[in-house]
Amino acid sequence: MSVLTRSKNMKAIRRRYPDLAQALEDSFASPNPSGRTYEFSYGKLGKPCLTVIDKSGKQHLMHSRYEPEKEAEALIANADLQNPKLVAVMGVGLGYHLRALQKAIENENILTIIFEKDLHLFKEVVSKIDISDLLASEKTAWFVATEESEAYVKMFNMLTEGGVKVQLFLKTICLLEHPVSVALDGEHYVKMMQALRDAAYAIIFNYGNCPEDSMIGVENIMKNLSLIMRTPGIKDLFGVFRGIPGVIVSTGPSLDKNVELLKELHDKALIMAADSSLRILEKKGIVPHMAASIERIVHVATMYKELSDEFKSKIWLAAPPLIRKEAYGNWNGPKIMVYRAFEHFKWINMPKGTINGGPSCSNLAFKTLVALGCDPIILIGQDCAFVNAEKTHAEEAPAVTNLRLNENDLFQVKGAYEDYVWTNQIYNLFCKAFETDIAAYDGVCVDATEGGSFIAGAELMTFREAIDKYCTETYNISAMVQNNLREPTKYDLMKEWAAFSKTMLETETEVERVVKLCDDGLAMIENFEQEAAAMGISDTEGFLRDYPDYEFEKRLAQINSSRIKIMNMGGYFNLYLMHIVQMIIVRYELDFNQIPSLCDDKKRCGLQHMRLMKGWFTSIGGVCKLALDLLKVAIKELHEEFGES
């Protein structure tokens, strides 16, 4: 029986987790490094039991010897699983609690994430207990003996692959602990859950942390349309620097240690600087080849104004046109358009090259150098950490980089050279983005920062060592950039304007339709509120008691209908505004989906749903009205510049 059981389980594992299958195969022929041993037996009623004996000789019975199934059912009954769309399970045991969980939540669950620290214990389970259906199910994700340094990347990739179906429930993650597993390996499970929470936060953040901020980005794009049309794109440089070292200069406190060494590298590596480091570099007499920028705030323009014209004239500003028009105006040097993976740029339909960069300027720089073909990519000043709440950046950094941190917002993470360093949630997100990007990069990434957070996947060495090892050949980097960039011709401009003017007019019509749907939704909610008031209903309890259930459900369905029409809106509206509208939709859907976790009264949940929809229509309607105004102004200005199409 055990041979057949093992074969069925291993077949399922090989299909979904080939690396785990190989690790299990290796474990069958190798001793357990933890010193644990395992005794498999049958309990009083003939049910399988497993005892783990640790290296001190202490025995840990994984389940009851009498009624393990009833024990598992009691564990599930006492767990907080009110809204079990996503469940994280700590420990596999012999799977009794997994079966009980499956039975209890099968119709509600979208994904169950199962962690097991002990590979050799899992080997015993695979050999003795048929869990092939659980292993094969697409509703489970298994993380067995996951290296803690790799946990974040694996969690992020798992949630990314799960798509919107999974991501819309990231605020509802339920936790189920197998008590004996947690007692044996609690520290590991704490770290796995932290990696899962960090990955969930990053996914939510990537949808957009602030619709208002993203609306600023749209406003900037609309004001930069002429510049977009007239400027060459980063796509012209894709693959041009294959095999040539790239250096990313960030502005962390550790930059002070090694910035002078950059003077050796102007003809030995492509140097791409975060724009906040430019002031430091100019004072040191160091001229990078490119500057990366993503911030949409007006202070960037001020930062550029402080730099000399001669310095800027030698550097290509490689930035998405999300930055302010004033920033471009204060940059008299050459420019390269870099699109981010936003639908806005598909709407513009003027290919310049898209970089799916992370949340920080340096994350975007990394993905840009990957697209250009650089290998290795060397990081300096990439601390992702702070010396303290006052010391957050290198000396001479622009005033705009002053974060004014609250010490209560700082927490400890593993350091590259120290046991721990201080960071905050945003800078830790930047670090995790590097880890995800490095894991997907085929080349070598060197962390030569000489301080800061530990970045998993990067080779750790000093900048001096990195230069001596990787930067040994000479290139004319500036000429390679100049010779490969293609300036748009007058014919290109006229052709693009002819197509784009039509797109803008059709988009205007579609956005006006969405505005009307939002206004209609708000009007229906207002009518509902007035009707309730006319019935003498003034508070929640009165509503729950006196408002007819059937009538409320009908109203809720009607209002939801307008919401769904907007969510399903396609065409140019989808491209022009969906990045921002989707951000609002996701934020509200996360809250909509969390409601059942907070309350089990269906009518009370429906009322909260109604209240959220009022904010939903207000937010989306407000964004669309502002976007409509921006669109009309842009149409007028481009007509004045390029004439009638």
Side-chain angles (χ1 to χ4, degrees):
M1 173 64 181
S2 63
V3 173
L4 179 60
T5 296
R6 174 181 163 183
S7 177
K8 288 178 67 177
N9 287 332
M10 289 300 294
K11 181 178 180 180
I13 294 170
R14 286 191 192 96
R15 184 178 68 83
R16 296 188 67 201
Y17 306 103
D19 291 344
L20 174 58
Q22 185 59 56
L24 284 167
E25 294 288 3
D26 294 342
S27 75
F28 284 111
S30 61
N32 186 351
S34 72
R36 293 175 181 175
T37 56
Y38 311 90
E39 290 185 357
F40 187 85
S41 60
Y42 290 90
K44 302 297 184 181
L45 300 179
K47 298 295 182 181
C49 295
L50 182 67
T51 302
V52 177
I53 305 168
D54 63 30
K55 60 183 179 182
S56 71
K58 184 178 179 180
Q59 296 187 355
H60 305 267
L61 182 63
M62 300 304 287
H63 299 280
S64 167
R65 291 189 185 278
Y66 294 90
E67 295 181 312
E69 291 169 336
K70 285 191 175 181
E71 178 189 53
E73 289 170 1
L75 178 67
I76 302 305
N78 292 321
D80 183 8
L81 300 172
Q82 188 168 315
N83 187 19
K85 296 295 191 295
L86 301 181
V87 180
V89 181
M90 308 289 103
V92 170
L94 281 181
Y96 289 109
H97 59 301
L98 298 180
R99 292 291 182 199
L101 177 68
Q102 181 190 40
K103 182 178 179 181
I105 68 172
E106 186 173 13
N107 295 329
E108 300 175 79
N109 181 245
I110 292 173
L111 181 67
T112 298
I113 305 160
I114 303 165
F115 299 101
E116 175 53 57
K117 157 74 170 172
D118 190 338
L119 178 67
H120 287 260
L121 181 150
F122 191 66
K123 176 184 70 175
E124 295 293 326
V125 178
V126 168
S127 299
K128 306 287 198 318
I129 307 294
D130 185 0
I131 56 170
S132 58
D133 59 324
L134 293 176
L135 291 165
S137 173
E138 296 297 329
K139 293 178 70 173
T140 63
W142 295 75
F143 294 89
V144 179
T146 301
E147 291 289 339
E148 290 166 4
S149 63
E150 299 174 357
Y152 172 82
V153 171
K154 290 187 175 182
M155 304 296 161
F156 183 87
N157 289 339
M158 177 264 295
L159 295 178
T160 300
E161 290 164 8
V164 174
K165 179 182 178 181
V166 169
Q167 293 162 14
L168 290 180
F169 293 93
L170 288 176
K171 285 188 177 182
T172 72
I173 298 175
C174 300
L175 177 62
L176 178 65
E177 297 182 352
H178 178 245
V180 184
S181 298
V182 171
L184 282 167
D185 297 304
E187 185 178 347
H188 173 79
Y189 294 123
V190 168
K191 291 180 179 178
M192 292 298 105
M193 277 306 298
Q194 187 59 54
L196 178 59
R197 290 191 181 100
D198 286 345
Y201 174 79
I203 295 287
I204 294 171
F205 187 93
N206 286 347
Y207 274 112
N209 60 325
C210 177
E212 293 77 15
D213 179 60
S214 292
M215 198 61 224
I216 292 171
V218 172
E219 183 177 358
N220 291 344
I221 289 174
M222 299 305 285
K223 291 180 178 179
N224 288 327
L225 284 171
S226 175
L227 186 67
I228 292 170
M229 295 171 68
R230 297 180 182 279
T231 304
I234 195 70
K235 69 181 178 63
D236 295 343
L237 301 179
F238 284 178
V240 169
F241 295 89
R242 195 167 307 282
I244 295 175
V247 177
I248 298 174
V249 185
S250 303
T251 324
S254 296
L255 182 62
D256 296 330
K257 297 180 182 179
N258 50 29
V259 64
E260 295 283 353
L261 294 177
L262 284 168
K263 294 176 180 177
E264 303 178 18
L265 290 185
H266 195 267
D267 57 353
K268 294 183 178 179
L270 194 164
I271 302 172
M272 191 165 197
D275 57 4
S276 59
S277 71
L278 292 173
R279 174 178 168 178
I280 299 170
L281 297 183
E282 183 173 23
K283 287 179 178 293
K284 299 284 186 182
I286 299 165
V287 182
H289 302 100
M290 293 185 187
S293 182
I294 61 170
E295 291 292 345
R296 307 157 197 222
I297 56 178
V298 71
H299 296 296
V300 172
T302 304
M303 190 167 65
Y304 293 171
K305 193 172 184 179
E306 294 173 351
L307 304 171
S308 72
D309 288 348
E310 181 182 2
F311 179 68
K312 290 179 287 190
S313 69
K314 301 173 183 176
I315 304 167
W316 278 272
L317 177 63
L322 300 161
I323 67 174
R324 301 270 301 204
K325 185 176 182 179
E326 296 90 335
Y328 281 120
N330 286 343
W331 189 275
N332 72 312
K335 304 170 186 70
I336 305 173
M337 281 295 148
V338 179
Y339 288 170
R340 301 193 73 181
F342 297 161
E343 298 298 299
H344 313 309
F345 298 117
K346 294 180 183 177
W347 173 72
I348 293 172
N349 195 26
M350 303 173 194
K352 300 290 180 177
T354 299
I355 304 292
N356 191 16
S360 79
C361 185
S362 296
N363 294 138
L364 181 65
F366 181 87
K367 294 299 288 286
T368 301
L369 292 188
V370 171
L372 269 53
C374 290
D375 184 15
I377 297 174
I378 302 168
L379 312 178
I380 65 169
Q382 191 54 58
D383 292 59
C384 295
F386 317 113
V387 175
N388 51 52
E390 289 74 38
K391 179 66 173 175
T392 63
H393 288 78
E395 296 293 337
E396 301 291 345
V400 69
T401 63
N402 186 352
L403 297 176
R404 297 179 180 85
L405 294 176
N406 186 330
E407 288 193 2
N408 294 330
D409 295 331
L410 302 183
F411 56 88
Q412 296 175 355
V413 294
K414 181 180 179 182
Y417 290 91
E418 303 169 81
D419 291 339
Y420 69 86
V421 292
W422 294 95
T423 190
N424 67 0
Q425 197 170 33
I426 295 297
Y427 273 62
N428 192 48
L429 178 66
F430 298 164
C431 179
K432 296 304 182 185
F434 269 112
E435 293 180 356
T436 305
D437 292 341
I438 291 168
Y441 173 47
D442 291 333
V444 173
C445 178
V446 177
D447 181 2
T449 292
E450 301 180 35
S453 298
F454 175 76
I455 302 175
E459 290 187 9
L460 202 60
M461 63 180 68
T462 67
F463 194 26
R464 176 76 273 161
E465 291 169 338
I467 291 170
D468 292 344
K469 181 174 181 178
Y470 293 112
C471 305
T472 56
E473 297 185 32
T474 300
Y475 312 91
N476 191 338
I477 302 292
S478 296
M480 293 174 71
V481 174
Q482 186 67 60
N483 293 340
N484 284 279
L485 286 177
R486 179 181 176 275
E487 296 284 343
T489 65
K490 185 176 181 180
Y491 174 78
D492 294 332
L493 294 174
M494 292 300 103
K495 182 179 178 182
E496 287 180 340
W497 170 234
F500 188 52
S501 61
K502 180 174 179 291
T503 296
M504 296 176 82
L505 292 172
E506 293 185 7
T507 304
E508 183 179 7
T509 300
E510 293 178 6
V511 177
E512 286 173 341
R513 183 183 172 202
V514 175
V515 168
K516 184 177 186 308
L517 284 170
C518 287
D519 288 343
D520 290 346
L522 285 171
M524 284 190 283
I525 294 173
E526 184 177 346
N527 288 339
F528 161 75
E529 292 173 340
Q530 290 173 349
E531 182 182 286
M535 294 170 64
I537 297 173
S538 60
D539 59 17
T540 299
E541 298 310 315
F543 168 81
L544 296 174
R545 183 183 62 249
D546 299 332
Y547 199 93
D549 293 0
Y550 170 77
E551 183 64 25
F552 178 58
E553 289 175 5
K554 185 174 75 171
R555 290 294 187 91
L556 201 60
Q558 288 173 342
I559 296 166
N560 238 337
S561 175
S562 287
R563 187 169 73 93
I564 291 169
K565 286 178 183 177
I566 295 172
M567 291 170 65
N568 292 332
M569 181 72 68
Y572 289 118
F573 165 78
N574 206 8
L575 296 176
Y576 175 44
L577 279 183
M578 188 49 73
H579 174 71
I580 297 173
V581 171
Q582 181 188 53
M583 184 187 308
I584 297 170
I585 288 172
V586 167
R587 283 176 58 183
Y588 273 94
E589 288 300 311
L590 286 165
D591 291 336
F592 285 137
N593 293 332
Q594 191 182 23
I595 292 173
S597 301
L598 307 176
C599 175
D600 57 5
D601 183 324
K602 183 179 178 182
K603 191 173 181 181
R604 190 183 295 270
C605 287
L607 183 59
Q608 182 60 22
H609 199 95
M610 179 81 80
R611 289 167 176 163
L612 282 175
M613 281 200 290
K614 188 173 185 178
W616 193 95
F617 285 119
T618 300
S619 296
I620 290 181
V623 162
C624 290
K625 288 172 184 175
L626 178 57
L628 191 59
D629 290 342
L630 292 172
L631 190 59
K632 290 178 178 178
V633 170
I635 290 171
K636 180 177 181 293
E637 290 179 348
L638 289 176
H639 273 145
E640 289 174 354
E641 181 174 354
F642 293 103
E644 295 297 325
S645 61

